[in-house]
Amino acid sequence: MVLAFILLFVGFVILVKGADFLVGGAASIAKRFNVSNLAIGLTVVAFGTSTPELLVNIMSSIKGYNDAAFGNVIGSNIFNLLLILGVAGMIYPLMVQRNTVSFEVPLSLMAAAVLYILVNDQLLFQRDVNILSRWDGLILLALFGLFMVYVVRTMKDGLGSEEGEPVKVYKPWLSIVYVLSGLAMLVGGGSLVVDNAVAIAREFGLSEKLIGLTILAAGTSLPELATSAVAAYRKNTDIAIGNVVGSCIFNIFLILGITGIIKPTPFNIALNFDLYVLGASTILLMIFMFTLNQRKLDRWEAFMMFIGYIVYTVVLVGLE
């Protein structure tokens, strides 16, 4: 058990340093090729930091840990919106691009709504079982494809702000080395954290559902937390928020899409409560974007989101 705690700490260290490499390399590539930080955050960084969720979900689905598979994605998105944006926004107020408010955040809400419709077969369509089928997986992947079309258009339009510290531009090969090294460290560190966190959780007799929503969700979202925190500290707010919103969309459309295609996955209706929390969290972010300093997540708003995650976790453990 002592070894598990030590390896957990080592995993954290690897994650933070990997995030530093990834943000630096991605920002350098964005600057060199005149691609906005927001577009990089929505693609390279979001995909890279979502890789742990993808690996965990594939393994969970194959092994039949269905609650862990869904709990990992739903819990990760709640973690992203409430805790990560909360922490990043407290480090440095996040100025949000107009497109993020008008399209990307609403798309994240739509993704949660689509997932709710697809998995609640008994509740909505009077079928025998709630399941994410292969057809459902194809629908999610098709929506992901449409999202990528939007991202490509965003890249071409060069949307994004220049707010924050000047981006250091490295040589092309060095930027690529930084990005690949960062991704490798994020995946390795995330795996180290998750494996040992689950071992510790099982030692205390926690359920698969709770492990998925908390330990796995937090563990696989640590790359997003480290990446967004570092980006906020550097005042690269486009990467900080683009990474989070992009990851939320990736998690549902891409990761659950692939999960459903690999193996149809039964859905536990008890997870609807967490889908409601996810929807409410997204709506809360949208409300904050239209209050006081519009298109800006102020420190007090970020603090409210952080507190919201603490309350959610307490309630979750209380319902166990």
Side-chain angles (χ1 to χ4, degrees):
M1 183 56 67
V2 174
L3 179 60
F5 278 105
I6 293 174
L7 292 176
L8 188 65
F9 175 76
V10 172
F12 279 125
V13 174
I14 294 174
L15 280 172
V16 172
K17 195 58 184 176
D20 192 23
F21 283 157
L22 183 58
V23 172
S28 173
I29 292 173
K31 192 72 173 179
R32 180 174 291 276
F33 293 97
N34 200 31
V35 175
S36 70
N37 286 348
L38 178 60
I40 290 294
L42 285 167
T43 54
V44 177
V45 179
F47 181 78
T49 55
S50 290
T51 303
E53 283 96 332
L54 177 59
L55 297 176
V56 167
N57 262 51
I58 290 175
M59 289 186 292
S60 297
S61 179
I62 291 175
K63 293 179 180 179
Y65 300 146
N66 304 317
D67 284 357
F70 282 110
N72 176 39
V73 166
I74 298 170
S76 291
N77 282 13
I78 295 172
F79 189 92
N80 286 349
L81 291 170
L82 294 181
L83 190 136
I84 294 180
L85 285 184
V87 170
M90 286 189 289
I91 292 173
Y92 184 77
L94 303 178
M95 190 66 189
V96 185
Q97 292 299 309
R98 188 176 302 277
N99 272 38
T100 300
V101 176
S102 62
F103 184 82
E104 289 138 25
V105 177
L107 181 60
S108 179
L109 178 61
M110 188 198 81
V114 169
L115 177 61
Y116 180 85
I117 293 171
L118 292 179
V119 296
N120 278 283
D121 300 293
Q122 290 177 313
L123 181 65
L124 300 177
F125 306 109
Q126 287 76 52
R127 293 176 183 167
D128 295 332
V129 64
N130 294 317
I131 192 169
L132 183 72
S133 67
R134 287 193 170 92
W135 280 110
D136 295 334
L138 287 173
I139 291 173
L140 293 176
L141 285 181
L143 292 172
F144 176 74
L146 293 176
F147 171 63
M148 291 307 299
V149 170
Y150 158 78
V151 171
V152 170
R153 289 184 58 186
T154 300
M155 288 180 173
K156 290 181 178 179
D157 292 341
L159 298 176
S161 70
E162 296 299 323
E163 180 187 0
E165 297 177 359
V167 174
K168 187 173 182 179
V169 180
Y170 304 104
K171 293 180 179 179
W173 68 268
L174 187 56
S175 296
I176 294 173
V177 168
Y178 276 150
V179 169
L180 294 179
S181 299
L183 290 176
M185 292 173 73
L186 287 170
V187 173
S191 177
L192 203 58
V193 168
V194 170
D195 289 345
N196 290 282
V198 169
I200 294 170
R202 284 179 175 170
E203 188 72 19
F204 289 96
L206 300 179
S207 70
E208 177 191 322
K209 173 174 169 285
L210 186 61
I211 290 175
L213 287 166
T214 56
I215 305 300
L216 284 181
T220 56
S221 292
L222 284 173
E224 285 94 335
L225 173 59
T227 300
S228 288
V230 170
Y233 178 76
R234 293 181 173 183
K235 300 182 177 62
N236 292 321
T237 58
D238 278 348
I239 287 182
I241 197 164
N243 166 48
V244 167
V245 176
S247 290
C248 286
I249 297 170
F250 270 57
N251 286 347
I252 292 179
F253 286 161
L254 179 64
I255 294 177
L256 283 182
I258 292 174
T259 301
I261 288 176
I262 291 177
K263 183 180 179 182
T265 309
F267 176 77
N268 183 352
I269 197 170
L271 286 163
N272 276 339
F273 167 76
D274 306 283
L275 277 175
Y276 298 146
V277 172
L278 175 58
S281 302
T282 311
I283 292 171
L284 180 64
L285 177 60
M286 294 172 67
I287 291 173
F288 283 159
M289 293 299 98
F290 290 102
T291 58
L292 297 179
N293 295 322
Q294 291 193 10
R295 296 193 292 113
K296 186 177 183 181
L297 186 67
D298 296 302
R299 281 193 171 94
W300 74 268
E301 294 171 328
F303 178 72
M304 293 295 294
M305 298 184 77
F306 176 80
I307 293 299
Y309 185 78
I310 301 300
V311 172
Y312 163 71
T313 304
V314 171
V315 171
L316 200 60
V317 173
L319 292 175
E320 179 69 9

